[in-house]
Amino acid sequence: MSQITLFTDSRLPCPQRLLLTIHELELQIKNIREVDISKLEHKNPDILELNPFGAVPFIRDDAYDPPLMLAESRAIARYLVRAYGSGDIPASLLPDPSNIVAIAKFEEAASIELTSFDAVANQLVFEELFKPLWFHGTTDIEKCKVLRERLEQVIELLDKRLASQRYMAGDKLTVADLFFVPYMHHLDKTVYPTLLKMRPHMRAWWKRMTNRESYQVLFGDLQIN
């Protein structure tokens, strides 16, 4: 059992990115505190005192004195893998630290997810799913049209990337793959189900990801409401 307290809203993609990593590591979390974003609980004074940026997920790891406070899902995922993951390189969710090329490909894949894929998928899923569902807003149709065109370009490039490798950073699963999964889930199941129809390499990668136990545990019975 770790000494970690996780502050999260498990319905949302950024927390889901971290929850996938936790499942993959089989990491036991001491305490999970759900923070309802739709009710603006992330702006409550007790949350802002712990994380002034007022966002979830974030963690407090009491294994340190003083406790380590860490925000941003990707940074937390990397930390958890290094601090609590397997020391066996093939089983690790990070590249071989002695392999400069593997590290470079990992950093490239992680950057593509953040600056190309997430930059578009995040906005599109918000506009078409979360905005009307939780915030009673009206979907911006013209904005979504542009976002879909940009997303298709990104997915086409990812499909070509995956033609010669099994995973986003090479032939080994890393947290870079997990970073893509939550928004891909919402795109595939709700927002844009035909996105991968003509992208065979992306479809094969997505099948590998959705067959993983971590995906099944997190998304198998998930209801967005």
Side-chain angles (χ1 to χ4, degrees):
M1 176 70 71
S2 71
Q3 294 301 304
I4 293 172
T5 298
L6 170 64
F7 298 81
T8 188
D9 185 334
S10 57
R11 303 168 300 172
L12 293 174
C14 288
Q16 288 164 352
R17 185 181 294 129
L18 183 54
L19 290 170
L20 284 167
T21 305
I22 291 169
H23 282 302
E24 288 284 346
L25 295 175
E26 298 181 352
L27 180 60
Q28 299 297 310
I29 302 297
K30 181 180 72 173
N31 184 31
I32 298 178
R33 177 173 170 183
E34 291 285 342
V35 180
D36 192 333
I37 295 293
S38 64
K39 296 179 180 178
L40 301 181
E41 290 180 359
H42 58 303
K43 300 300 184 182
N44 288 349
D46 62 326
I47 297 297
L48 291 175
E49 184 177 354
L50 294 170
N51 179 17
F53 287 96
V56 294
F58 66 94
I59 65 168
R60 183 181 68 230
D61 191 343
D62 291 313
Y64 302 91
D65 185 16
L68 172 66
M69 302 296 302
L70 193 61
E72 298 299 326
S73 61
R74 298 172 183 84
I76 301 170
R78 286 178 167 92
Y79 163 72
L80 293 180
V81 173
R82 290 191 174 97
Y84 297 99
S86 172
D88 182 34
I89 291 171
S92 171
L93 292 173
L94 289 173
D96 181 347
S98 67
N99 188 328
I100 299 299
V101 173
I103 294 171
K105 286 176 68 69
F106 170 81
E107 293 299 339
E108 179 186 48
S111 294
I112 289 170
E113 185 276 326
L114 178 63
T115 61
S116 297
F117 176 75
D118 184 85
V120 182
N122 185 320
Q123 294 185 63
L124 183 60
V125 171
F126 175 78
E127 280 291 333
E128 295 198 12
L129 180 61
F130 297 128
K131 184 179 180 180
L133 184 63
W134 287 343
F135 301 101
H136 310 293
T138 302
T139 297
D140 187 330
I141 302 299
E142 289 302 314
K143 180 178 181 179
C144 289
K145 181 180 178 180
V146 173
L147 289 171
R148 282 172 174 256
E149 291 173 354
R150 288 172 55 195
L151 180 62
E152 288 177 0
Q153 294 172 359
V154 173
I155 296 298
E156 186 65 28
L157 292 172
L158 289 173
D159 189 66
K160 293 177 180 178
R161 180 183 182 87
L162 289 165
S164 59
Q165 59 192 51
R166 287 173 57 83
Y167 295 102
M168 292 296 179
D171 289 323
K172 174 182 179 298
L173 177 78
T174 67
V175 287
D177 295 282
L178 303 182
F179 293 168
F180 281 87
V181 169
Y183 278 112
M184 270 305 309
H185 167 80
H186 294 297
L187 290 167
D188 184 55
K189 296 299 183 183
T190 307
V191 174
Y192 204 161
T194 61
L195 180 62
L196 304 184
K197 185 176 181 180
M198 303 300 292
R199 279 88 182 197
H201 309 298
M202 274 294 292
R203 281 204 319 274
W205 168 83
W206 186 233
K207 184 176 181 179
R208 284 192 284 274
M209 299 309 297
T210 57
N211 282 341
R212 297 193 68 81
E213 183 179 349
S214 60
Y215 178 90
Q216 297 294 330
V217 168
L218 185 57
F219 292 107
D221 298 318
L222 181 67
Q223 298 293 325
I224 300 295
N225 52 44

